Structures are given as C-alpha cells and as structure tokens.
Amino acid sequence: MKRQRREAVTMKTIRKVLDNLAAASSSSSSSSTSQPGNRELDIPETLQSEHFQLCKTVRHGFPFEPSALAFDPVQKILAIGTQSGALRLFGRPGVECFCQHDSGAAVIQLQFLINEGALVSALEDDTLHLWNLRQKRPAILHSLKFNRERITFCHLPFQSKWLYVGTEKGNIHIVNVESFTLSGYVIMWNKAIELSSKSHPGPVVHISDNPMDEGKLLIGYESGIVVLWDLKSKKADYRYTYDEAIHSVAWHHEGKQFICSHSDGTLTIWNVRSPARPIQTIVPHGKQIKDGKKPEPCKPILKVEYKTTRYGEPFIILSGGLAYDTVGRRPCLTVMHGKSTAVLEMDYSIVDFLTLCETPYSNDFQEPYAVVVLLEKDLVVIDLAQNGYPIFENPYPLNIHESPVTCCEYFADCPVDLIPALYSVGARQKRQGYSKKEWPISGGNWGVGTQSYPEIIITGHADGSIKFWDASAITLQVLYKLKTAKVFEKSRNKDDKPSTDIVDEDPYAIQMISWCPESRMLCVAGVSAHVIVYRFSKQEVTADVIPMLEVRLLYEINDLESPDIEQVPTPSGGPNSQPIVLQSHPSTSSSSSDGIRDNVPCLRVKSTPLKQSPGYQVELVTQLVWVSGEPPQQITSLAINSAYGLVVFGNCNGIAMVDYIQKTVLLNLGTVELYGSNDPYQRQPRSPRKTRQPSGAGLCDINETTVTTEDRCKSPTSAKMSRKLSLPTELKPELDVRDNSFSRSRSSSVTSIDKESREAISALHFCETFTRKPDISTSPCLWVGTTLGTVLVIVLNLPPGGDQRLLQPVIVSPSGTILRLKGAILRMAFLDTVGILIPPAFESWRETNVPDEKEDKERLKKRRPVSVSPSSSQEISENQYAVICSEKQAKVISLPSQNCIHKQNITETSFVLRGDVVSLNNGTCLACFCANGHIMTFSLPSLRPLLDVNYLPLTNMRIARTFCFTNNGQALYLVSPSEIQRITYSQETCENLQEMLGELFTPVETPEAPNRGFFKGLFGGGAQSLDREDLFGETVSGKAPRSLAQHIPGPGGIEGVKGAASGIAADLARARLALDERGQKLGEAEERTAAMLASADSLSKHAHEMMLKYKDKKWYQF
C-alpha cells in the first residue's frame, strides 16, 4: 500500500516537472519542485508571453555632448545634433523626439527644409541624411555618402530644393534634396580664387546666397578669402581678402553688405562692390588703439549674425572674441545694438547659437525677437525685445544633470493626490526674473495619451539634492527639489575638514532612496554613511534642534556591543516639541588620546535652528561613526516602513534598525551575529587594519569617468554594481564544503574577489508574514538578504498605536529562520494565497504640523494599529509565498512551511543587476536586468520565462546604478550623464505608443513674401529670382561622377508604415506608400522621357539649321 502511494506521488512529481520543462524557455534553465496536494499548484496565472514586448518609449534630459543646432521659423521646431549621432527635436513643452543615426558619427550641421516637415543632417563621416518629420517617429528617407571629399559646410536656401555642400578641398557640390542625387554643377576652388594665387584657400566655412539675388553665392574659405560667385556665368564677380582666418559670415538683408568674424577677435564689414578693403573693422572686446595701429588680438569670434529691424538699429550678435587677458572669465554672448553692447555670461561653453526672427525670408527686415544659445550642458533662450535681455524660463526637463545623477527610483501608479501635493510645495521654489513672454519654440501637437495613472521619478544627485519628477504619460516635469546638505555644517575653509575625508569630493552624494508614496515618508542614504528620514508637511516649521543619532556599527565576531545611544522619552506635548538626544560619544571629540579617530561621524549636523519650508522636513539624522581609526563603511541597503515607524540600513559590517518615532536604536548587529549559532560559513577572526582603506571610492564615477574593463566584469557581490560600492577585503568567507549546491559559479577573475569580500547586507524588506514554520498567523517582521545568498528573518513586536507607541519600546528578536540562494540577494516580495502581490504595511499621510495640541493628540490616538495585516485578511488556514531574487536565481517559497515550490536559474554566465517584483495587467511578475544586457520577466509564482530580450550590454556603471523597473510595464535608466531613457516591456503600451507620441509637423501656411514695391519692380530693384532647375538640372549640368558620392535609400517609408496603426490603417498606409513609390518612379521615367524628347528636338533643330546654312552653297565653298 505504501509502495503504491509512493509511486503515485512520484508520477505526479514527474508529470509536474515535465509540464514545467515544456513551458520553460530554451534560453534559460529552470528546475521546479513542488509538494503534491498543496494549494499553490492551483494558482491561476494571467500573464502570458504575449503580454510582453520591449521597446524604447521616450528620452528625457539635455542632449549629451551637443554639436549642432537648427530652427524652423515657420513650424517653430528646434533640432539639436550630438557628437554620438543623436538627434533631438523639440516643439512646444511636452513635444519632444529622439532619433539616432546608425553610424554614431558626430552631427556637424543641421538644415531644416523650412515648413516642409523635413531635415537634412550632415555627419562627420561625410554622409548627408534626409529625415522625414511628418511622422511621429522620424525616419531617414535618403542618404548620400561622399567618398572622395569631406563635408565642412552646408546651405539650403529657403524654398529651394538644391543644397549647397562645401568640402575640405574647397569645392562646392550641389545636391537635389528631393532625389538626393548630386548635380553635375560643381564650383571648383581653383576657379573661385584668383589664378595668380599659389596657395590653397582652405576648407569652405561658409556658403550663402545674396538675399537680393539668388544667382550670387557668397563663399567663405578658412584662410580669409571670400568669393562672390555668379552661378549663371560660372565665374567669380568679386574676391575679398583679409589676412586673418574666417569663422563665419552673415548678410545684411539688403544684400549690399556682409560681415565676417575672424580668428583675431575682429569683425569686418564689407561693401559687396568694394572688394579692396572692409568699410569697417570692429574689435568688440579689444582695446582700441589710435594712430592707425592694429588693435590687440583677442580670442576668435566663432560666429556672428547680422539682423535688421524696420524701425531701429540692426543687431550684431556674436560668440567668443574676448580679450586674452580675461583669465577665468566665463564664455560670453555679445549683443551689439546701436551704440549699446551687452555681454551676457554663460555657465558653459557656447556650442552654437541662432537668432529667431519674425520672417523666414532673408531679403526682408529680420525683426529678431530671441536668441537660442546651445551650451555644452544647457539650452538658453534670450529675449531680445525686453530691456536687460532676460532669459525665458525653460519648460523642458533639461536640468536633470544640474548635479550629476547618482541614483534613480521609479514609481508608477502612485496615489492621485501625490503629484499635486509635490507641485504645490515645489511651485514656491521657482526662480524669478524670467521673461514674461511665452516660450518661443511652440511647434507640434501633443499626443493623445491613454495612460492615466500617475508616475513619479526620483533622482538623487552628487550635491545631496533630490528631485521629484512628474513622469505621467511619457512626459517629464520637475515637481520639487530637496537639498539634504542643508542639514549639515559646511566647512568654511579647506583646512576645516576633520572628518569629511571619507570621500574626497561630494560628501553629501545620495546613494540610496527608500520612499513610501502612501505615507510620503522619505529616507535617503548618503555616501558619507549618513541616513536621513524626512516627513512631508505643507506647513513651514523651524527645528530648534535637529534630532540625530550616532551608530557604532563595526565588524567584530566577538564584540557584542549594545547600542551606544541613550534616549530620553519624548514628551507628548505640542507638535513642535523636540526630543533630547544624549550621545555617549559627542561629535566634537575627533580623536582619542592616542590620536586615532574614534566615535566621530563623517559630517557635522547643524547645531543652529533650521528653518524648514513646506515639503520634506527632517525627522531624524542617523550617522555611522569612525571606529578605532577606521572610517564607517558605505550603506549597501535601506528600507523604511511608515506603519511600523522604523528605518533599517546595512553595510558590509552589519545591520542597524532605528525607531524614528522614539528616536532610538533598536538593533545594532554585525552580520555574523544575525546567524547566532546557525552560521553556515567558516570565518576568519578579524584582524585590525594597519592602513586606512577609504570607502569613498564607492561613487567614484559620479563625475562619469570611464569604467575599466575589469570593473565591468565584477559581480555586485564583490563590488555592488547597482550602487557602486567598494567593500573592504579582510573577511575571507569559505562556503561550507558539504553544501556543493551553493558553490558560486564565477569566472576565475571574480572568484578571488568574492572570497575576500565581507558579507554585506544587500536587501531589506518589511512585511507581515509567517516568520517560523510552526506559525499559524502572520506578524510584522523584517527579511534580511546578504551578499552570500542568505535570507534571515527578524521578528518585530510592536506596541499598540496612539500614546502607547510613543512610550513602549519596539522589541526586536531573531526568528531562527534561514533561507539560502545562489548569489547575492537583490529583492524580496510576498504574494497572498491567490498569487496577488502583498504591499508592505503603510500609514496614510496626515499633516503632522497641526497648530492645535488637541488635534495632534487625536491624530496619534487614531494611528492605525500596525498589528492588523495590510493585505486582505489572512485566515489561519491560508498561506503566503515569498519571492526571493538573487543575482543568479529566483525562488518562490511557500509560507509557513518554507518549502521551495519553484526555482529558476536566471543566468549562469552573467549576473542580475536589478530585479523587481512588479504588477502588470492585473498580474504579478519578476522583472530582471542582467549585466549581459538581457531583460527578462518571469511569471509568479511559477517563475515561467515570459520575456528574454538581449537589449543593452552593460557598458558603464551609470546604467547599473540607475536601472529600475516599476509597475505597469515601465522601466528606465540613465543613458548618458544628462539623459534618462524610458522603456516599456508591456505589449499594450507598445501598441498605444504611437498615439501617445506628439506630432512634430503641423500644417502651417507659409508667410507671404515681402512686397517688392512698384518702383523696385519697375526699375529692376528688389530680389532677383533664379531658376535653379535650369542651372543645376541634369539637362544642363549633366550627372556627377558616380564615384564622388553614393546614394543610399533610407528606411523612412517603411518606418512610417510600421508606425501606423494595425489593421485597415496599416493596409492603407502600405498602399499609399506603394502608390507614392510608383508615382515617384513614374515621375522619374516621365522626366527621363521629357529629357530625351528635348534632346531629340534640339538635335533636329540643329540639323535643320545646318541644312539651311549649307543648302545653297557650292561644293567648292565648303
């Protein structure tokens, strides 16, 4: 009988294993075991692989390393190119677009086809690309690769299809932007300059047509030669020579004068018909020397623009040209208007600038109203119409990198009242003195978003600031900024650094953020081993004393220290009463009698009253202190729980738990002491350090230094990559040889590092669950994960709410429960009996700074008892499931039995950098990002692979430190020091993305051309038009040599079809594209036929003329 039952159980197990193997992905190895007869086998899972698809959604922030700028004055769209081949397009606030050239070559110039919905980009690899902006996701229609010459400058006249391309050799080629083919018309450098000139004029640095005569082309060569070329007669009308190199040229709108900027800081104004010498020479920033002597040379004027007004003096706007003796002076933009000269200092180097004018026509009064200045790390728009030239308030989220980003957190589906609350306190922080006019870049239309849930991104920065961003519906807007450094005293001089030298730079840098959106409680950990708890309030308060604790957390096997903080019970008086903290080791004693620094925190908390504005206000500051000359180690994990009133943090030495309501330390243990007698590792006793090893290397890449190859391959266990931590190397843990299943599979280069690492606390999670196997009910507890793959459970015995919570202590005790996985623990979460994610307990936000004492007491009495489970009522018979993810594998463990019901080996050759348990489509899944670039999702609780995409290989620490998943299929990471890339792994979001994106191109009527006037028309004045088709067309100029440039058709049309909606719309788009392509081919055939007919007609005409000429001649007259 027993044998039959055993065989039945074995068959069920085999059947279950086979089912799991059939469902598993071939790319990942999974092993699943289950206990027969358990209810967990019947949990329905709604998520399937068809619910998942990975795609990029939107990129926010300032374009990293910008190199080019362009503006469409009719569509009012701004384009910025970068040194990595990226293209960012900006319209009205909320309308942004990101494109990328596949080659990754730097963008050297951008040219809009004004009001045509197209853009030409010139790249450093000598390619030209035509972008179609009439679709939500712009794509390349044509490309042209120059083979024998390097592109240096491009010019596209308004309402022309012929693009002038200047090269390094000094030649000018002409491209038809409709077909993206080269014309046979070429302006050779040796024909443009004087024949008597023996030297090469240098590369072409400027091309523009005369505003009043399209047939005259002004060509500027680097050496200082300017040529006015007659396109019809194919010869130079005038040549202008100056003995200083030219950087830029600009026309007066009447076409009679032009201005040049030179390398010696001078501006020369030339009369078109007087090539001998300039009519005026200006040195904007030089000392004017009389007696006809040359002024002192200044720095080069890199660009100049000459803009006229109908009823006033013209504007001359230039960048550069400062005197050489202005050492340390910031880059400047100079605005010369009549007799006044304004020098506007910029925070960063000027890359380029453009003057925005009322008209797109170059032959009319320009009427400039603003200047767009592209800086190395910022975009500034200056109002020219107001006195003092104020700047416009920039509505784009371009200041993400105001201080380098050190960490990110992403929260989707937040409480609906959270964004308005943050906005209301953040609105008071806005600067004053901006221009009162509307933002001038106003093109495009917003998308029709279907996502309605609130999303918030929090960024931590190197200067200790924290920014909250509204990220709802693929937009980004800053809500509120918190400066954590305000809590600390700042050293007034370099010598006054008694204890901040744990890190050489950025001692306030934010390393970790733990936030409870429901209660609005915020906890941050900084690089100087400090933890600050903040409470949100809409009232302004002044803290007479900042509550603070100091914790002596050290790694010592035999040293069982009690918390060295004494606490006076908090009086339950008025709302502004502050607890008195007694410190056994005051921060003023910076060293012991023998000179060794001891019991000193790294930062000094302010001792003066601190005025705190509405928003986040300091609740408690906790700092780790130096121990016997050894600096505190950086914090590796952090968690806060508003229902329990507790915050916990850990590092490579141990763990500390603080009651921020009573301002006491509840727990201060070394990692080894958490195990008690159950420690599975053989550990060496700690030896004292001979030399100090600073732990400040943890955020060494804050300033975006390039990471070495060796750093890339390290596992987070040895150097926690997601937070860039540097762990000390005294402890050499040896895994128990009896447990071979937990031996770590690593490359040889990493294994030695692992053996020398201490066991750090890597994950913390407050929850209400079963703590031991015999438990019949849930209780509050803390789950602790370590870098050696161990999970330990600590039981929390909380006093009742109300006044009792203020007076009775929280009792913390170990449960004895130990679970183990392969690799460092990254994330823990809990599911209820039907597989729904159980959120941690929380207390809803209430205003704490109420003016009436009675209200405060009532609030405390109404405090929700935390012994009640936050999830749906858990009956004794119901079980829970713990989901634990490490850097190598994931396990689902049934509670209270603690049986592992499912296991998934996520990766063998790499390691997981980030793992999150998230909600999606009314289901729950585990999302992972691996160091080898794979993004994977697994169903819960069965851990079936649902998605595995090789998305992004880990190229630097920035990505590892900032990558995070959140609910509803959203994720993000810092793609460059100044840009956030958002992605989605939800199929539904991918399908709706096209509707959510904004439109760049909108139908706008082109302004009317300026009226020539009766007398100008009568006597031949005004603008002279040119039939460029006659000059540059294939009929007259022929074809350019094929070897000169290669035409490459782009994927633009196909991308447009891909972007269209599915079904009928997609079919219509494909049909329309096919018709367009067919029409284009028919048009080309028709043009060729017409050219052949014209050629035949011309031949017939010439033959007839010859016949008439020689018809009556005698043979001897030939």
Side-chain angles (χ1 to χ4, degrees):
M1 192 71 179
K2 287 182 181 178
R3 183 178 177 184
Q4 288 176 351
R5 194 181 296 115
R6 193 160 54 245
E7 286 177 355
V9 170
T10 305
M11 288 302 294
K12 283 183 181 178
T13 306
I14 292 170
R15 202 174 293 121
K16 180 65 180 175
V17 170
L18 289 172
D19 289 344
N20 283 335
L21 286 172
S25 167
S26 59
S27 61
S28 302
S29 61
S30 73
S31 57
S32 186
T33 57
S34 59
Q35 300 297 322
N38 279 2
R39 291 178 60 188
E40 59 257 10
L41 302 181
D42 303 325
I43 296 174
E45 293 181 357
T46 57
L47 291 178
Q48 303 297 327
S49 58
E50 56 264 25
H51 292 125
F52 294 87
Q53 181 184 341
L54 194 71
C55 72
K56 293 179 181 179
T57 53
V58 68
R59 183 174 292 199
H60 301 298
F62 182 77
F64 184 56
E65 294 182 338
S67 57
L69 181 68
F71 183 71
D72 186 325
V74 179
Q75 287 287 320
K76 297 196 182 300
I77 297 288
L78 186 77
I80 298 176
T82 73
Q83 292 182 23
S84 58
L87 195 59
R88 292 285 295 278
L89 296 145
F90 296 91
R92 65 179 61 192
V95 177
E96 293 181 35
C97 184
F98 168 80
C99 312
Q100 178 68 48
H101 293 93
D102 292 338
S103 66
V107 180
I108 58 173
Q109 201 175 347
L110 297 170
Q111 287 272 311
F112 273 102
L113 277 69
I114 294 173
N115 206 26
E116 295 291 336
L119 175 75
V120 174
S121 59
L123 270 58
E124 201 173 39
D125 63 354
D126 309 308
T127 53
L128 297 172
H129 302 277
L130 179 65
W131 289 86
N132 178 14
L133 307 183
R134 290 180 178 240
Q135 54 196 54
K136 288 192 173 184
R137 288 194 162 181
I140 294 173
L141 292 171
H142 300 281
S143 298
L144 193 66
K145 168 72 174 171
F146 279 74
N147 297 322
R148 297 189 300 198
E149 297 194 49
R150 307 218 64 184
I151 298 170
T152 56
F153 194 88
C154 297
H155 171 64
L156 181 65
F158 180 40
Q159 295 181 324
S160 167
K161 70 174 184 179
W162 298 98
L163 174 74
Y164 301 105
V165 180
T167 69
E168 197 174 47
K169 288 184 178 179
N171 303 324
I172 293 177
H173 301 277
I174 299 165
V175 177
N176 184 330
V177 291
E178 289 180 354
S179 61
F180 238 57
T181 54
L182 274 178
S183 164
Y185 192 112
V186 183
I187 304 172
M188 304 299 289
W189 69 269
N190 55 353
K191 290 184 179 179
I193 66 169
E194 291 186 61
L195 295 175
S196 59
S197 177
K198 295 180 181 179
S199 59
H200 190 277
V204 175
V205 295
H206 178 83
I207 307 169
S208 60
D209 48 334
N210 187 317
M212 288 296 179
D213 189 350
E214 295 174 350
K216 309 291 185 182
L217 198 66
L218 196 68
I219 307 164
Y221 294 96
E222 189 181 64
S223 64
I225 298 172
V226 178
V227 175
L228 187 66
W229 182 265
D230 189 318
L231 290 166
K232 289 181 180 177
S233 63
K234 298 184 182 180
K235 66 178 183 179
D237 281 353
Y238 300 102
R239 297 180 179 91
Y240 315 84
T241 306
Y242 194 73
D243 56 1
E244 291 292 340
I246 288 176
H247 285 277
S248 71
V249 184
W251 278 103
H252 186 282
H253 86 275
E254 291 178 347
K256 296 176 183 177
Q257 291 179 353
F258 61 88
I259 187 169
C260 300
S261 72
H262 300 277
S263 58
D264 64 344
T266 59
L267 297 172
T268 54
I269 300 177
W270 300 78
N271 193 320
V272 171
R273 297 181 182 275
S274 305
R277 64 179 59 85
I279 59 170
Q280 190 179 359
T281 301
I282 307 169
V283 188
H285 297 285
K287 295 174 183 176
Q288 296 291 344
I289 300 172
K290 296 180 181 179
D291 302 329
K293 292 183 181 177
K294 245 188 146 182
E296 290 183 8
C298 295
K299 294 176 184 176
I301 296 176
L302 301 175
K303 184 173 183 180
V304 64
E305 291 203 341
Y306 198 7
K307 302 298 179 184
T308 54
T309 58
R310 192 176 298 274
Y311 304 110
E313 298 283 344
F315 283 86
I316 296 175
I317 304 166
L318 57 109
S319 63
L322 293 178
Y324 279 104
D325 58 2
T326 53
V327 179
R329 189 167 180 181
R330 293 189 293 180
C332 295
L333 185 84
T334 305
V335 181
M336 302 170 69
H337 185 220
K339 293 181 179 179
S340 70
T341 299
V343 181
L344 310 175
E345 288 194 340
M346 302 291 159
D347 291 333
Y348 307 102
S349 300
I350 297 173
V351 176
D352 198 359
F353 73 88
L354 287 173
T355 308
L356 308 189
C357 301
E358 296 289 354
T359 177
Y361 295 95
S362 60
N363 60 351
D364 195 9
F365 287 99
Q366 300 298 289
E367 304 295 347
Y369 60 89
V371 182
V372 179
V373 189
L374 178 62
L375 304 176
E376 198 176 31
K377 295 183 180 179
D378 201 1
L379 181 73
V380 176
V381 182
I382 299 162
D383 186 353
L384 289 179
Q386 288 189 37
N387 291 332
Y389 305 132
I391 65 169
F392 289 85
E393 184 177 8
N394 198 321
Y396 307 133
L398 301 182
N399 60 343
I400 292 170
H401 64 296
E402 187 177 21
S403 173
V405 177
T406 52
C407 64
C408 283
E409 291 297 336
Y410 191 8
F411 300 86
D413 210 5
C414 300
V416 290
D417 60 341
L418 197 50
I419 288 175
L422 289 166
Y423 181 81
S424 66
V425 295
R428 306 182 191 196
Q429 300 176 331
K430 288 193 174 181
R431 286 172 50 191
Q432 302 299 320
Y434 290 111
S435 169
K436 294 179 176 62
K437 292 186 177 180
E438 288 188 7
W439 182 249
I441 304 162
S442 56
N445 282 324
W446 293 303
V448 183
T450 54
Q451 286 180 199
S452 57
Y453 52 86
E455 297 174 77
I456 290 178
I457 295 170
I458 305 178
T459 53
H461 300 265
D463 64 353
S465 61
I466 294 170
K467 289 181 182 177
F468 292 78
W469 305 82
D470 178 5
S472 308
I474 69 170
T475 62
L476 194 70
Q477 181 183 7
V478 70
L479 292 170
Y480 172 70
K481 181 180 178 181
L482 172 65
K483 296 179 180 178
T484 65
K486 281 186 176 180
V487 176
F488 303 104
E489 298 277 5
K490 290 185 179 177
S491 55
R492 295 181 181 177
N493 55 59
K494 293 182 179 179
D495 299 328
D496 184 24
K497 285 190 177 179
S499 53
T500 59
D501 54 359
I502 180 174
V503 283
D504 296 331
E505 295 179 356
D506 305 319
Y508 311 111
I510 304 299
Q511 203 167 9
M512 238 164 288
I513 297 169
S514 179
W515 188 51
C516 175
E518 289 79 13
S519 67
R520 304 182 189 173
M521 290 301 296
L522 173 70
C523 186
V524 298
V527 74
S528 295
H530 60 279
V531 174
I532 311 176
V533 179
Y534 287 93
R535 191 184 291 275
F536 186 86
S537 173
K538 293 182 179 179
Q539 306 296 323
E540 185 179 288
V541 297
T542 299
D544 295 328
V545 179
I546 298 172
M548 57 175 287
L549 296 173
E550 292 178 1
V551 179
R552 185 182 173 93
L553 188 62
L554 71 158
Y555 179 83
E556 198 78 70
I557 292 178
N558 300 317
D559 187 6
L560 301 177
E561 288 193 359
S562 60
D564 52 357
I565 306 292
E566 297 176 12
Q567 172 68 37
V568 176
T570 307
S572 58
N576 294 326
S577 58
Q578 295 291 343
I580 303 168
V581 182
L582 299 180
Q583 300 172 9
S584 58
H585 300 282
S587 59
T588 52
S589 58
S590 61
S591 61
S592 59
S593 57
D594 57 356
I596 298 174
R597 193 174 296 168
D598 195 37
N599 292 315
V600 184
C602 297
L603 302 172
R604 188 178 292 128
V605 176
K606 279 185 179 175
S607 55
T608 55
L610 180 67
K611 183 180 177 182
Q612 303 193 79
S613 303
Y616 275 102
Q617 299 167 354
V618 180
E619 179 82 3
L620 177 66
V621 179
T622 306
Q623 293 191 86
L624 298 182
V625 296
W626 286 67
V627 179
S628 304
E630 180 180 323
Q633 299 299 306
Q634 287 179 3
I635 291 159
T636 57
S637 55
L638 177 72
I640 189 171
N641 188 282
S642 59
Y644 306 159
L646 303 177
V647 62
V648 62
F649 54 91
N651 62 10
C652 61
N653 283 340
I655 187 172
M657 187 187 296
V658 172
D659 181 342
Y660 64 78
I661 294 174
Q662 296 187 20
K663 311 294 189 288
T664 54
V665 178
L666 300 175
L667 184 71
N668 180 7
L669 289 175
T671 314
V672 181
E673 294 168 312
L674 286 171
Y675 288 95
S677 59
N678 298 322
D679 189 0
Y681 303 105
Q682 303 288 329
R683 302 178 195 264
Q684 301 290 333
R686 181 178 179 274
S687 58
R689 285 193 188 187
K690 300 295 181 185
T691 58
R692 173 184 167 231
Q693 294 187 6
S695 59
L699 281 166
C700 64
D701 66 336
I702 280 175
N703 294 322
E704 307 307 332
T705 51
T706 307
V707 69
T708 60
T709 309
E710 183 182 349
D711 288 334
R712 288 196 195 110
C713 68
K714 288 183 183 177
S715 155
T717 309
S718 59
K720 194 81 174 73
M721 296 191 75
S722 60
R723 288 151 190 149
K724 191 75 168 69
L725 299 171
S726 174
L727 303 184
T729 56
E730 278 75 17
L731 178 64
K732 296 184 179 180
E734 295 177 5
L735 296 175
D736 195 339
V737 293
R738 290 171 295 180
D739 191 356
N740 293 325
S741 62
F742 291 94
S743 62
R744 309 168 75 87
S745 58
R746 295 288 175 83
S747 64
S748 58
S749 62
V750 187
T751 308
S752 59
I753 299 171
D754 284 347
K755 287 182 178 178
E756 292 181 356
S757 299
R758 293 185 185 179
E759 184 177 15
I761 307 297
S762 57
L764 296 163
H765 188 83
F766 285 106
C767 56
E768 202 157 326
T769 187
F770 302 96
T771 58
R772 301 178 183 88
K773 286 185 180 181
D775 284 357
I776 58 172
S777 63
T778 60
S779 59
C781 57
L782 171 71
W783 284 51
V784 181
T786 75
T787 51
L788 292 184
T790 305
V791 176
L792 305 109
V793 182
I794 296 172
V795 182
L796 309 173
N797 192 348
L798 297 156
D803 292 337
Q804 299 294 316
R805 179 63 183 87
L806 293 172
L807 301 173
Q808 294 185 19
V810 177
I811 299 169
V812 180
S813 58
S815 67
T817 298
I818 297 179
L819 306 168
R820 298 178 68 189
L821 276 76
K822 186 195 299 183
I825 305 299
L826 299 179
R827 191 72 57 198
M828 295 171 283
F830 293 84
L831 310 177
D832 64 12
T833 188
V834 293
I836 297 172
L837 185 65
I838 303 173
F842 62 86
E843 182 188 45
S844 296
W845 178 80
R846 292 185 184 90
E847 180 58 70
T848 54
N849 297 319
V850 285
D852 194 350
E853 186 177 320
K854 291 180 181 178
E855 290 183 30
D856 190 40
K857 287 185 176 180
E858 286 298 316
R859 183 188 63 79
L860 290 169
K861 285 179 182 177
K862 288 179 183 177
R863 186 181 175 92
R864 182 171 57 79
V866 293
S867 56
V868 178
S869 172
S871 58
S872 55
S873 58
Q874 296 286 332
E875 296 179 6
I876 294 173
S877 60
E878 292 185 338
N879 54 357
Q880 290 184 355
Y881 304 98
V883 181
I884 306 171
C885 175
S886 77
E887 61 180 12
K888 286 290 186 180
Q889 62 180 194
K891 284 185 179 181
V892 175
I893 294 166
S894 178
L895 299 176
S897 66
Q898 296 183 13
N899 293 328
C900 176
I901 60 168
H902 297 289
K903 183 174 76 171
Q904 176 71 243
N905 292 324
I906 299 171
T907 177
E908 293 292 342
T909 58
S910 184
F911 50 87
V912 179
L913 286 164
R914 177 83 182 208
D916 287 295
V917 177
V918 293
S919 299
L920 175 69
N921 291 6
N922 298 318
T924 307
C925 67
L926 170 66
C928 298
F929 172 54
C930 289
N932 61 7
H934 282 253
I935 290 178
M936 296 179 277
T937 61
F938 303 91
S939 67
L940 288 175
S942 69
L943 292 174
R944 282 183 299 111
L946 298 172
L947 175 76
D948 186 353
V949 176
N950 188 2
Y951 170 70
L952 176 79
L954 180 66
T955 53
N956 54 49
M957 300 304 299
R958 188 193 318 110
I959 297 170
R961 193 177 62 241
T962 57
F963 198 103
C964 49
F965 297 96
T966 188
N967 295 330
N968 297 333
Q970 308 296 330
L972 66 78
Y973 59 94
L974 208 67
V975 69
S976 77
S978 59
E979 295 169 288
I980 287 175
Q981 178 67 58
R982 288 166 69 179
I983 61 175
T984 183
Y985 48 96
S986 160
Q987 170 69 28
E988 183 182 358
T989 306
C990 288
E991 288 177 355
N992 295 330
L993 184 60
Q994 192 71 15
E995 293 179 14
M996 295 164 66
L997 293 172
E999 287 184 281
L1000 286 167
F1001 179 80
T1002 52
V1004 179
E1005 198 169 324
T1006 303
E1008 284 188 17
N1011 190 1
R1012 293 175 65 185
F1014 174 74
F1015 289 106
K1016 283 189 178 180
L1018 185 64
F1019 297 109
Q1024 299 295 315
S1025 61
L1026 172 74
D1027 190 348
R1028 294 186 178 92
E1029 186 68 39
D1030 281 351
L1031 277 177
F1032 307 142
E1034 194 176 309
T1035 308
V1036 177
S1037 297
K1039 288 185 177 180
R1042 287 189 177 182
S1043 59
L1044 184 61
Q1046 177 188 357
H1047 176 260
I1048 305 163
I1054 299 165
E1055 289 297 321
V1057 171
K1058 284 182 180 176
S1062 56
I1064 298 169
D1067 293 338
L1068 285 170
R1070 289 190 191 95
R1072 197 179 297 115
L1073 179 68
L1075 283 170
D1076 288 346
E1077 288 176 349
R1078 187 182 174 196
Q1080 186 180 349
K1081 288 176 181 175
L1082 285 170
E1084 289 173 0
E1086 189 178 342
E1087 284 176 7
R1088 284 197 295 269
T1089 305
M1092 288 173 69
L1093 284 171
S1095 179
D1097 187 49
S1098 175
L1099 184 64
S1100 171
K1101 187 178 175 183
H1102 283 300
H1104 184 67
E1105 287 174 355
M1106 289 284 288
M1107 184 267 292
L1108 291 174
K1109 184 178 179 180
Y1110 298 111
K1111 182 177 67 170
D1112 299 327
K1113 289 190 177 184
K1114 304 296 182 184
W1115 62 270
Y1116 51 83
Q1117 292 176 319
F1118 284 98

